[in-house]
């Protein structure tokens, strides 16, 4: 398909998944608003409908809680096709939401939307909307600082694998072992009725997901307590890098808006992260990994999140060289970068969700960082691979890194958005 046709197809997917002010990731498998999906979707809409792109973020923040927390799902309307739905989460909020969060890409998306409006000479029309959104995003970032960084290391701690957005990454296997699944009871999964079970998380993983939902619900979704008491507490390397990047982007917006106190506060968060995030460097594996807060152990897994340090704005000669060497090694082993798990890992599986497949959104972030750090050749490889995957196979949720075939749901919103915002654009 020529790029014009692909652009049109991508726009059609966003339109088809638009439920009026928010976009579902995929109509069948994910029929609600998802947090980080919407941040990417907004970048896609920005290519052809600026007003609609801002609305996507505005609708997302209408789901924000009093304490600044921004949920991973907002159930604007119920849908039988998904489990666990609003009745299982039982957060008691209006709108109904989940009780866990997701990677904070929204600030980065907002900065991009704002700069695009400025470039188009439309800053005047969007400034009030920026001023309204900014404090909401800041409150969410404060929530991370106050609830999810108990040792003040500048990392982001997750209390559920779903918060990481990399649901079944092997990084969560060992930290998940203490989760008591004995009270989970019977339930009917809906994901495996839409998709091949071979592509999805296992029953053991799902039991743990549900046990953690029950744990949060039993604590009345008191985030401070969950952050201290959850059996699953992991400093996620992906979330930590994304938050550091998001704080830098929010700082740029604070400066733009002349909010000097907020800017100072953000500088302090950034400084804390720059000083402490080295805790996630795995000296033995020479890579960035998540670390279990409960045992203090590094996961030791090389995943696509290991390559977000450039995106986070971190620069360290020795670590950067080691990171680039891993990317080059993996790039020689697979046809399409970046598999979600190192193909040399014994647990690598070409089509099982976050244990092998390529995710376009992660590629966008990795390549953005590589390009900013001057590693243009590798950044181009990631972009070209993403472009080829989509052009040859369609707008799938994820892709097999060996043969490129689509994995998971089709007509996926964030893949369409990544095409419009990055992969399908001229270099
Ligand atoms: C899956 C992904 C998650 C995403 C969601 C909706 O749960 O792991 O990252 O947000 O689907 O696309």
């Amino acid at each position: 398909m020529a790029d014009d046709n692909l652009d049109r197809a991508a726009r059609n997917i966003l339109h088809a998944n638009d439920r009026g002010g928010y976009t579902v990731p995929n109509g069948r498998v994910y029929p609600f608003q998802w947090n980080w999906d919407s941040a990417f979707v907004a970048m896609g809409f920005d290519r052809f409908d600026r007003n609609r792109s801002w609305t996507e973020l505005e609708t997302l923040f209408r789901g924000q809680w009093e304490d600044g927390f921004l949920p991973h799902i907002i159930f604007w309307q119920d849908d039988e096709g998904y489990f666990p739905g609003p009745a299982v989460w039982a957060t008691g909020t209006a709108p109904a939401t989940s009780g866990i969060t997701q990677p904070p890409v929204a600030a980065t998306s907002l900065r991009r939307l704002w700069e695009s409006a400025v470039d188009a000479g439309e800053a005047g029309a969007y400034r009030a909307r920026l001023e309204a959104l900014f404090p909401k995003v800041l409150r969410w970032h404060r929530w991370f600082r106050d609830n999810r960084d108990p040792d003040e290391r500048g990392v982001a701690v997750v209390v559920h694998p779903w918060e990481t957005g990399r649901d079944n990454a092997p990084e969560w296997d060992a930290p998940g072992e203490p989760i008591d699944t004995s009270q989970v009871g019977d339930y009917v999964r809906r994901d495996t009725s839409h998709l091949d079970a071979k592509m999805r998380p296992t029953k053991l993983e799902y039991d743990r997901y549900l046990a953690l939902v029950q744990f949060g619900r039993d604590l009345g979704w008191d985030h401070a307590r969950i952050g201290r008491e959850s059996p699953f507490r992991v400093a996620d390397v992906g979330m930590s890098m994304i938050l550091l990047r998001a704080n830098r982007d929010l700082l740029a917006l604070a400066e733009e808006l002349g909010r000097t106190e907020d800017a100072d506060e953000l500088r302090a968060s950034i400084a804390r992260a720059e000083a402490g995030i080295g805790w996630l460097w795995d000296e033995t594996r020479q890579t960035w990994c998540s670390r279990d807060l409960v045992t203090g152990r590094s996961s030791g897994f090389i995943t696509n999140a290991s390559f977000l340090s450039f995106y986070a704005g971190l620069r360290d000669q020795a670590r950067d060289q080691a990171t680039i060497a891993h990317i080059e090694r993996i790039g020689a082993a697979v046809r399409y970068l970046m598999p979600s798990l190192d193909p040399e890992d014994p647990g690598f599986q070409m089509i099982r969700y976050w244990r092998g497949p390529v995710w376009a959104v992660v590629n966008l972030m990795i390549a953005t960082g590589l390009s900013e750090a001057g590693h243009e050749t590798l950044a181009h490889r990631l972009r070209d691979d993403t472009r080829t995957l989509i052009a040859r196979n369609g707008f799938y949720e994820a892709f097999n890194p060996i043969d490129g075939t689509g994995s998971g749901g089709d007509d996926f919103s964030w893949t369409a958005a990544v095409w419009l915002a990055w992969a399908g654009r001229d270099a």
Side-chain angles (χ1 to χ4, degrees), residues 24-26 29-30 34-37 72 82 102-103 161-162 164-168 200 353-354 359 361 397 412 414:
V24 298
N26 168 285
V29 195
Y30 302 107
W34 257 260
N35 185 324
W36 74 326
D37 294 66
H72 102 293
Y82 182 83
Q102 250 189 342
W162 285 342
T164 72
R166 301 180 292 128
D167 302 11
N168 66 325
R200 300 289 304 176
Y353 230 41
W354 294 89
W359 296 75
V361 286
E397 182 172 11
F412 225 81
W414 69 8

Side-chain angles (χ1 to χ4, degrees), residues 4-224:
D4 281 358
N5 292 340
L6 281 161
D7 282 2
R8 200 169 318 119
R11 287 196 299 266
N12 286 344
I13 288 171
L14 293 188
H15 281 312
N17 290 339
D18 185 353
R19 295 290 178 274
Y22 72 96
T23 310
V24 298
N26 168 285
R28 286 174 309 127
V29 195
Y30 302 107
F32 312 109
Q33 184 171 26
W34 257 260
N35 185 324
W36 74 326
D37 294 66
S38 275
F40 290 107
V41 160
M43 298 180 197
F45 271 121
D46 182 59
R47 301 298 301 164
F48 64 102
D49 187 345
R50 189 180 319 283
N51 173 48
R52 181 62 186 75
S53 72
W54 284 72
T55 305
E56 186 78 22
L57 293 183
E58 287 159 351
T59 308
L60 178 64
F61 277 91
R62 279 173 45 216
Q64 186 168 36
W65 290 17
E66 282 292 302
D67 64 357
F69 162 81
L70 191 67
H72 102 293
I73 304 176
I74 306 175
F75 301 105
W76 290 112
Q77 50 190 32
D78 207 352
D79 189 305
E80 290 294 304
Y82 182 83
F83 178 86
V88 180
W89 291 93
T91 56
T93 52
T97 72
S98 71
I100 58 171
T101 194
Q102 250 189 342
V105 180
T108 301
S109 178
L110 180 59
R111 180 180 182 188
R112 189 176 166 131
L113 265 45
W114 170 250
E115 289 179 349
S116 151
V118 171
D119 289 349
E122 293 182 33
Y126 285 88
R127 196 169 178 94
R129 292 171 85 168
L130 175 65
E131 278 169 351
L133 269 170
F134 176 89
K136 299 180 184 178
V137 184
L138 180 63
R139 283 180 56 231
W140 185 28
H141 287 207
R142 279 184 188 144
W143 176 89
F144 274 107
R145 183 196 62 194
D146 298 343
N147 294 277
R148 296 306 185 80
D149 188 15
D151 306 329
E152 300 191 6
R153 291 179 187 271
V155 297
V157 173
V158 295
V159 299
H160 195 298
W162 285 342
E163 290 198 313
T164 72
R166 301 180 292 128
D167 302 11
N168 66 325
E171 294 205 284
W172 327 132
D173 291 352
E177 275 166 23
I179 301 169
D180 175 10
T181 56
S182 62
Q183 305 303 312
V184 163
D186 291 337
Y187 60 92
V188 180
R189 281 173 69 167
R190 300 308 308 262
D191 59 323
T192 42
S193 64
H194 302 297
L195 297 167
D196 186 342
K198 286 201 283 303
M199 296 178 177
R200 300 289 304 176
T202 61
K203 159 98 170 106
L204 171 64
E205 285 160 344
Y206 240 81
D207 283 355
R208 288 179 181 167
Y209 301 152
L210 291 178
L212 289 173
V213 171
Q214 288 171 359
F215 181 86
R217 192 180 61 199
D218 290 348
L219 290 188
W221 297 112
D222 175 338
H223 291 126

